[in-house]
């Protein structure tokens, strides 16, 4: 399990860092950061509280991403990734405490 975890950083292109901005960064800001040796990847998503039409508990939040291909790629354990515009895939985030417990 620990080997799979360690290999996942390269296999799924896990980001080294993450930051949020109030609005989209200008081209000049991105260029300045890239001149400092950083790779900038837009990773926009929408957050929606689960509601009456969802099977999740009402206090859960759905985070909806585009299909990421260059960074933080999806680890698909079963099923398939979306192939058409009107399809989505779902994943369940496992709390850190549960993941660590399963690694013991």
């Amino acid at each position: 399990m620990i080997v799979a975890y360690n290999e996942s950083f390269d296999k799924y292109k896990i980001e080294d860092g993450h930051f949020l901005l109030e609005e989209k960064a200008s081209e000049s800001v991105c260029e300045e950061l890239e001149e400092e040796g950083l790779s900038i990847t837009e990773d926009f998503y929408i957050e929606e509280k689960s509601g009456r039409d969802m099977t999740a508990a009402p206090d859960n939040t759905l985070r909806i991403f585009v299909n990421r291909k260059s960074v933080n790629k999806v680890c698909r354990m079963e099923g398939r990734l979306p192939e058409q515009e009107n399809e989505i895939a779902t994943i369940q985030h496992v709390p850190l405490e549960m993941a660590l417990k399963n690694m013991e």
Side-chain angles (χ1 to χ4, degrees):
M1 186 67 131
I2 291 174
V3 171
Y5 170 80
N6 289 332
E7 290 175 350
S8 71
F9 290 92
D10 287 330
K11 184 174 183 179
Y12 301 108
K13 308 286 188 208
I14 305 298
E15 66 190 0
D16 293 326
H18 188 90
F19 62 91
L20 302 174
L21 302 172
E22 297 244 350
E23 55 189 50
K24 185 176 178 176
S26 68
E27 189 67 33
S28 63
V29 167
C30 291
E31 288 173 2
E32 285 182 45
L33 292 171
E34 288 173 348
E35 286 173 8
E36 295 293 325
L38 300 174
S39 296
I40 305 299
T41 303
E42 292 179 347
D43 194 17
F44 296 120
Y45 59 86
I46 299 169
E47 282 190 350
E48 293 287 337
K49 293 286 184 190
S50 61
R52 59 183 161 75
D53 296 333
M54 312 267 179
T55 57
D59 61 343
N60 287 342
T61 300
L62 299 174
R63 190 172 283 175
I64 305 163
F65 292 87
V66 297
N67 193 9
R68 300 177 305 254
K69 296 179 181 176
S70 62
V71 70
N72 292 341
K73 295 167 64 176
V74 175
C75 172
R76 182 184 51 78
M77 303 302 273
E78 60 185 56
R80 64 175 177 77
L81 292 176
E83 296 170 353
Q84 299 182 22
E85 290 288 322
N86 64 346
E87 295 181 322
I88 65 169
T90 61
I91 61 169
Q92 178 180 3
H93 249 269
V94 178
L96 180 59
E97 301 81 29
M98 185 181 298
L100 291 174
K101 182 178 179 184
N102 289 334
M103 290 178 75
E104 294 175 349

